[in-house]
Amino acid sequence: MRLWHEHLIDRLPRQQLLGQHRECAALRGNGWGKPHATVNYVFEHSYSKLFYYHHLIMQEMKRRGYKVTEEWLDPKYRGKKCTPLKDDLNIDINWLYSKSETIYKEHNECYLKECLDNLKEKGIII
């Protein structure tokens, strides 16, 4: 699984959006720090960036009328089988909506094209 370029989130089909939520939940939980070729770059950044990205996914889900388990909106929540984070993450949701760059520097134009090509191979044209 991959984290789709964040500029695609509001255009992802249902299956990819909900899959992205599952992927983020897994990464925030027991998957944090476990190597996986397509998402290894996530572990080179702070955990808070993953929360910000996941927050964008959850907001899009809510916008479309999908139910989001409220616990995931807590930055320290890591799932039912993980203990919550103890560290203060200094999360500022206002930053998320005022930023001018992508959350992950890896989500550049080249990565956007790669994501679009990947979707096209699945028959999804965005």
Side-chain angles (χ1 to χ4, degrees):
M1 180 66 108
R2 71 175 54 245
L3 294 187
W4 297 106
H5 192 289
E6 70 185 72
H7 291 156
L8 298 176
I9 292 171
D10 65 343
R11 296 184 287 163
L12 288 173
R14 179 182 190 278
Q15 182 178 349
Q16 279 70 25
L17 181 66
L18 298 181
Q20 199 70 156
H21 174 57
R22 286 188 300 276
E23 179 71 7
C24 288
L27 288 171
R28 283 180 62 187
N30 288 326
W32 181 253
K34 290 187 180 168
H36 188 288
T38 7
V39 295
N40 274 347
Y41 67 90
V42 170
F43 309 127
E44 296 170 11
H45 299 278
S46 70
Y47 183 89
S48 60
K49 287 197 175 200
L50 177 58
F51 173 77
Y52 284 132
Y53 182 87
H54 193 194
H55 187 80
L56 288 178
I57 297 295
M58 293 185 288
Q59 292 309 306
E60 179 60 21
M61 288 172 62
K62 284 182 168 186
R63 187 185 74 76
R64 294 187 194 184
Y66 304 141
K67 182 175 175 13
V68 173
T69 304
E70 294 296 314
E71 287 89 350
W72 285 112
L73 297 171
D74 177 353
K76 294 182 180 185
Y77 184 72
R78 298 187 63 215
K80 293 177 182 176
K81 297 182 181 180
C82 281
T83 57
L85 290 177
K86 293 182 175 124
D87 299 337
D88 184 12
L89 298 175
N90 295 319
I91 297 294
D92 178 8
I93 292 300
N94 292 323
W95 170 83
L96 183 59
Y97 296 103
S98 65
K99 68 183 181 48
S100 58
E101 71 281 353
T102 57
I103 295 169
Y104 291 107
K105 66 180 175 19
E106 292 81 2
H107 289 199
N108 54 30
E109 289 300 315
C110 182
Y111 187 69
L112 177 58
K113 183 180 179 331
E114 185 181 316
C115 288
L116 288 169
D117 290 345
N118 184 291
L119 288 165
K120 190 175 183 179
E121 288 175 12
K122 298 175 187 324
I124 302 164
I125 308 298
I126 292 183

